[in-house]
Amino acid sequence: MTQKSNIHFDISERKVLLRFFDIVSVLSLLYLVGLVFDFDYFKINAQHWVWSIVLGVYLTIFATIFELYNLQKASKFEVVIQNIILTSSVTVLFYLLTPFFTPELPENRLQIIYFYISVNLSLFIWRYAYIVLISAPRFFKRVLLLCSEKDIDSIVASLEKSDPNYKVIGFINTSQQTYSFNYTSKLLKFGKRDISDVIIEHTISEIVVASPQAEGISAMLSNQLINLLENGVVIREYTQVYEEITHRVPVQHVDKDFYRYFPFSRSNQNKLYLFFHRILGLFFSVLGLSFGLLISPILIIGNLFANKGPLFYFQERVGRNGKLFKIYKLRSMVVDAEKDGAKFASKGDSRVTKFGRFLRKSRLDEIPQFINVIKGEMSVIGPRPERPVFVKQLSEQIPFFEIRHIIKPGVTGWAQVNTKYGESQDDALEKLQYDLYYIKHRSFFLDINIIFKTLSTIIFFRGQ
């Protein structure tokens, strides 16, 4: 079988590509400006190599915070323009304010303007080229699904939503029955015979199998897959693809095979990692509480006039190993918010006061939880602690829900920076998928990623 080749950059490859060429494009244009114009503020040479490294570090950090490496947003130029301006402005500001590692301020202040324009222009040109070339359809990964027709909507939606360059071209129904579907109206439906012809005709680069052996993978179909594998066709299992693309663990597809599927991160027992994780928690707690004290007059006045009641709110939550503790928060709801019983908060919840909505959007209501971190009841990063009544309810409805209690709950977490406020069982399931991914892949670098994403959430006012 002769398969047409097509080029595709995976998620990690595209992020590396973006980071690398962001730095290269900025340094290249600054070098060109230095050659063509009388520009001596920033020089690229062996004598001043530190200047380039510091600029690259600042650019990477702030581009991460302002979501220039969010692949969904990186393919939309109108969003990219806004994020480039924010990134360039803060990067240049920090660069100017740290003259110990960077050039001294020039006598001709116009050079600062040239420097700022060069950073912006280089990023605009490179990111436009990325959208036109790398995000173009010719670089899509073209996928063939093997699954039950009843699951096709949820499978395609979850994969394409998480990676805009991951395109499901068609599917083979492994079930004996046919079902109605909505999302897949643009997809092609193929028969189970001669898959190799489908691969060639539609330039398929990957086959994803989302059907257990007992549900439609016949001997004939299995033999075809083996032959395709021998001919170099990439064949992968759906749960692995789902986790890689969405950064979530698909608990609804794991069934009861728990111990095989959850080889949790060694960091959960690594004493050195846990030590630095604790130090990081204490550092951010002192920083957060200090900031809280600094703005306490604003919080007190806002609560006095717009909340009309106690400033603080105490509530019982479930912590590590199911142990109960009292969480500290700034009150964001009316005093008698739960007179009719406990229920999930929702978007536009009438129980949330006007000042409380500001506290939630800015995440300021979470500041007192740093006291819980200092007491050792919480970490800065981890699954959000739920109330006992909701834990009992969700544990009965969602498989593996209580696994999230094997580590300390957090002030922020992988679920908080990737999904919306939990309003239903489906939202709770999605949050659990992210929480389990964090527990499974927990590491220093993932923690740093969460911190950056949390800063983005605060800056863009996305708290709920």
Side-chain angles (χ1 to χ4, degrees), residues 320-338:
R320 186 181 180 187
N321 299 326
K323 185 178 179 181
L324 300 180
F325 71 99
K326 285 200 177 294
I327 197 172
Y328 307 118
K329 294 188 73 174
L330 293 177
R331 186 174 57 85
S332 59
M333 289 188 174
V334 295
V335 176
D336 56 350
E338 297 194 331

